[in-house]
Amino acid sequence: MGRITTRRPLTKITVGRDPQRRVDTLAVEEPLEIRINGNALAVTMRTPGHDVELAAGFLVSEGAICRTEQFRAAIHCGGPGSGGGGNEYNILDIALTPDAVVPATAARNFYTSSSCGLCGKASIDAVKTVSNFDVAADTVTLDAEFLATFPDRLRERQSAFDKTGGLHAAALFDATSGELLVLREDIGRHNAVDKVVGWALLSNRLPLRASVLQVSGRASFELVQKAVMAGIPILAAVSAPSSLAAELAEASGTTLVGFLRGETMNVYSRPDRILAESSLSAIPG
């Protein structure tokens, strides 16, 4: 496994004071090339660690697989001429079952940055992947007071963020018991979610019915899409959703919660799943 953090020298400047030389801890960002049966499919910038989960979750989001048995094996390997050297942990070759829907390499080979899982897509229509799971039919509900505890519980477990201040986190909660099932950190918010979804696939937990995906930042279209593809009925973010994220959530029957901070939250779609003490009819305006 590659490094998650690294130490780098810096110059600390404070107005009116002499500059100071210090050492800071930074989140590592390195490329991961995902291959299917030796053929390059995608390159994503990520924080090393849980690469197999990342690749598995990516393939779920792309609609290539939806069952654990479709993901047969994964192995890190060196690139051509590397001799198995320095980049051996930045290339992951995956074997899938014949029924996996693998995009044609020539048509779907693309590069994704750590900040945008959609970079390189030809158009927005290309990412409206059809899910194998119906999140709209999920009847799960949970108390708003209960949901309001999730961001702090996620933050308490962000060990790498404490060192760097530069990593996103995604956590999966059981909506019924409140159990934190898994948490992953990464320099890219979409990578953190892919690692969570990949963990669920490899643990034979898809679809993720009656669950809540809690993320540390904003809610973009791509994060809603990943939740839908994994069968997650509720996505909660501590920051704002995009307009397209709200539109996709409404269309798919996903409950989208934004600005989840303290005791307040904004619910942009399917508010029937979030139980508050007062009914909506009692709220003026």
Side-chain angles (χ1 to χ4, degrees), residues 19-271:
Q20 295 180 326
R21 292 290 290 171
R22 295 184 179 179
V23 176
D24 196 13
T25 300
L26 303 180
V28 171
E29 181 178 31
E30 294 181 355
L32 176 68
E33 179 180 320
I34 300 173
R35 296 178 179 176
I36 306 296
N37 299 323
N39 297 314
L41 177 68
V43 176
T44 184
M45 301 302 295
R46 97 300 188 198
T47 299
H50 302 105
D51 286 344
V52 175
E53 293 177 352
L54 170 59
F58 174 80
L59 291 170
V60 171
S61 298
E62 290 297 305
I65 57 176
C66 63
R67 303 189 311 277
T68 305
E69 58 270 21
Q70 291 177 299
F71 194 98
R72 295 178 58 188
I75 184 171
H76 282 97
C77 57
S82 69
N87 70 341
E88 63 179 318
Y89 291 112
N90 286 339
I91 299 175
L92 188 68
D93 198 4
I94 299 166
L96 303 176
T97 55
D99 63 329
V101 185
V102 182
T105 303
R108 291 301 308 276
N109 182 265
F110 56 88
Y111 170 91
T112 63
S113 77
S114 57
S115 61
C116 174
L118 303 183
C119 299
K121 300 284 189 174
S123 69
I124 206 66
D125 290 337
V127 296
K128 290 184 177 177
T129 317
V130 178
S131 177
N132 289 280
F133 312 121
D134 183 8
V135 296
D138 197 317
T139 59
V140 66
T141 60
L142 76 163
D143 290 335
E145 184 178 5
F146 196 28
L147 178 60
T149 67
F150 289 0
D152 286 343
R153 294 173 61 191
L154 177 146
R155 180 65 186 85
E156 290 170 358
R157 296 276 296 274
Q158 286 186 258
S159 57
F161 179 87
D162 289 336
K163 298 176 183 176
T164 67
L167 290 175
H168 294 282
L172 190 70
F173 289 88
D174 184 294
T176 302
S177 68
E179 179 186 0
L180 197 164
L181 301 173
V182 64
L183 182 146
R184 294 290 182 258
E185 292 181 280
D186 197 279
I187 200 165
R189 61 173 56 87
H190 70 284
N191 288 337
V193 172
D194 277 342
K195 289 177 178 180
V196 166
V197 172
W199 169 87
L201 177 89
L202 298 176
S203 302
N204 199 26
R205 287 175 174 263
L206 294 187
L208 287 165
R209 298 187 181 94
S211 63
V212 178
L213 177 63
Q214 176 69 55
V215 296
S216 61
R218 61 184 176 85
S220 61
F221 174 93
E222 59 180 332
L223 297 195
V224 176
Q225 182 206 16
K226 291 176 186 298
V228 172
M229 295 301 292
I232 300 172
I234 302 173
L235 170 61
V238 298
S239 193
S242 69
S243 62
L244 201 56
E247 291 175 17
L248 179 58
E250 184 69 33
S252 63
T254 303
T255 297
L256 177 60
V257 180
F259 294 105
L260 178 54
R261 302 170 183 176
E263 297 182 345
T264 64
M265 63 195 76
N266 295 343
V267 185
Y268 295 87
S269 57
R270 287 297 300 269

